[in-house]
Amino acid sequence: MEDRVSDNSLTFVEMFEAAEQASDTARQVSERCRDYFDNKQWTEEEAQTLRKRGQAPLVDNVIAGKVNWLIGQEMNSRTDPKAFPRTPQHQQGAEAATDAIRYVCDNAEWPAKRSAVWENMLIEGFGGVEVTHVMKRGEPEIVVNHYAWDRLFYDPHSRMDDFSDATYLGAVIWADKDKTAKKYPKMADALTGVVNEYGSFGETYEDRPRYELWGDRERNRLRIVLMYYLEDSKWKWVKFTKGVILEEGESPYVDEDGESVCPLILQSAYIDRENRRYGEVLKMLDQQDEINKRRSKALHLLTSRQTIGVKGALDSVAAMKREMAKPDGHVEVNIEAFEDAGRVGMRPFEVQQTGDLALGQFQLLQEAKQSLQNMGATEALMGAADGESGRAVLAKQQGAMQGITPLVDKLKRFTRRVFEAIWQRIRQLWTAPKWIRVTDDERNVRFVGLNQPVTVQDFLSQQPEEDVRAFVQSRNIGPGDPRLTQVIGRQNMVEEMEVDIILEEVPDTVTLEAETFQQLVDIDTARGGILPLELIIEASPLRTDKKQKILDWLDQQKQGQGHAGQMQQQMAQLQAQMAQMQAQADMQSKAASAQRDMATAEKTLADADKIRAETAETVADTQKTLVETKRLALGY
């Protein structure tokens, strides 16, 4: 839509600033949670106070370890989406749909973006992605855009953890003013005025480094807001800055029922009664503060000395403190101080014992660390054990798992919503024939065709030979006949596939199911291994997708063995036929050789007869010559 200056932009600005103002407190808390994860756990004022008294501002970052474990657990428990048919007729379509969704996920680098959203949920409290598309080489390519939590905003009246009741959602984008003006030339003058606009209720949505402006004249940048909003049961979108609407329109995306949908998908970890979003880290801040302060205080007590003495007992208190700080320090006391101290019944100089204070701080430190360890990713869930048996560790893990299951379930629901959005985009945008490469098995890359035309020749190639022969003869079809290339249908039509997206995804933790499976294997081993391998695989605690890969491989092996037996039988028959043909060839060769010998003998006899005839003729000529010579000699 044409870019323009509009009074409506003020309404959108008010909506954004209302969301910014209402969430200011929650965002400050989220920023503090991020600082704690990043090891920034003392304010500058606190650190300066500690340094003045000679106390180190120590940080024992337990929070980062627990969050990183949960992030790693999510990475280890990733599963691919799987589409299940709604009717038996859609079985083949479901497999193609599964391949299509996995192709998009691989192409969009979805696993890394899912982990980024999970991290935002744990630390700041919420995160999200946008499932949209871009045109590349004339074809629509589905993309998943991840927005950091501090670029997202939402309807402050939303109370659902998945934002399903929000009337508007959006993201903040900082852009170069000149590039934006070049993209929207009619707005160039208005954008120039925006770079000096003030107006912000916090630091979250500012440019980095921070400026409390809608624009920044020094760096020539301005704040642009992308907002999706619900109006008359339809989702619309608008891209604007202060006083200027750059673009707007209706959401181009619909679900399977043709209803308008918002491509921005957000998920929060927790929400309080003030509609504030927060994550797992917020619960740990107080304990983390106590750990840092008690550890710093205990160390300070252990490395410091308190002294008491009569005034004048020492020539220099400062020199005494320097000596006391040395492992082999020596302090000299003036002899006159003994008389003064004796009159009041005390020693002229002594060191106060503060070990009990340090011990008390250390004990409270241990309690604080234990309290924090019992939150979220507990030691039991991490598999920590001190001389415990494997069964005891498994039992503890099973119990501790219940503590994070609700949070993991929210991530699972978010993931399913993203997969469903990807499938909606596929059905809506992939209308032309398309080939996708399936890379789930690196050793056996395969290609799947979507919306592929089916010709008469393609159809006949899948029919029995007798039917094909009858069909060709009845229609007098020969090789190269143009009727063979006629399109009679399409295969794997995306828009006609009716499937449900299902996830079977839980944290990758060994449970009692693994223990039961081990008992089953032990029993079968004791009985001599009578259970088929397929049943053992089915009973195993492996993930469903891994089970299916193993079962498919076993089935292929069986088919391969059966095929190998058939091939051996066919080879034996072929060898027998070849032996018979060889014998016939040998007999024919011998017969031909005999015929050649007979012909040679007959020729030899004929040559001999000819020689005899020639010899007889020569003899007759010779006799005739002798007779003639004799007659001439006798003169008669």
Side-chain angles (χ1 to χ4, degrees), residues 528-567:
I530 62 176
L531 288 178
L533 181 58
E534 290 79 0
L535 291 181
I536 295 178
I537 297 299
E538 286 286 355
S540 70
L542 293 171
R543 292 189 326 212
T544 302
D545 57 334
K546 299 299 183 184
K547 287 183 185 180
Q548 193 58 48
K549 282 187 177 181
I550 296 174
L551 293 174
D552 291 344
W553 184 83
L554 291 174
D555 186 57
Q556 291 176 3
Q557 293 299 308
K558 285 187 176 181
Q559 292 179 0
Q561 291 175 359
H563 182 65
Q566 294 177 0
M567 289 293 295

Side-chain angles (χ1 to χ4, degrees), residues 334-388:
N334 294 325
I335 190 65
E336 296 82 1
F338 281 91
E339 297 178 359
D340 296 336
R343 286 194 295 268
V344 295
M346 62 175 290
R347 296 180 181 179
F349 177 81
E350 61 179 323
V351 177
Q352 295 293 100
Q353 299 298 321
T354 58
D356 56 336
L357 297 177
L359 179 60
Q361 291 289 350
F362 180 76
Q363 290 174 343
L364 291 174
L365 169 64
Q366 293 300 104
E367 290 186 9
K369 295 191 72 170
Q370 186 60 45
S371 176
L372 184 52
Q373 292 292 355
N374 291 335
M375 295 182 180
T378 64
E379 290 186 351
L381 186 58
M382 295 179 187
D386 186 11
E388 294 180 318

Side-chain angles (χ1 to χ4, degrees), residues 2-22:
E2 184 179 0
D3 45 292
R4 57 191 174 88
V5 178
S6 172
D7 293 337
N8 291 336
S9 65
L10 299 178
T11 301
F12 295 130
V13 169
E14 291 171 355
M15 294 170 65
F16 167 72
E17 291 184 344
E20 185 180 17
Q21 185 176 16

Side-chain angles (χ1 to χ4, degrees), residues 606-624:
D607 292 342
D609 292 339
K610 182 178 180 181
I611 293 172
R612 283 196 297 271
E614 292 177 349
T615 302
E617 184 178 358
T618 302
V619 170
D621 292 341
T622 301
Q623 290 178 349
K624 184 178 179 181

Side-chain angles (χ1 to χ4, degrees), residues 383-402:
D386 186 11
E388 294 180 318
S389 66
R391 291 182 180 274
V393 173
L394 292 179
K396 283 187 175 182
Q397 282 184 318
Q398 177 68 10
M401 187 66 210
Q402 306 306 316

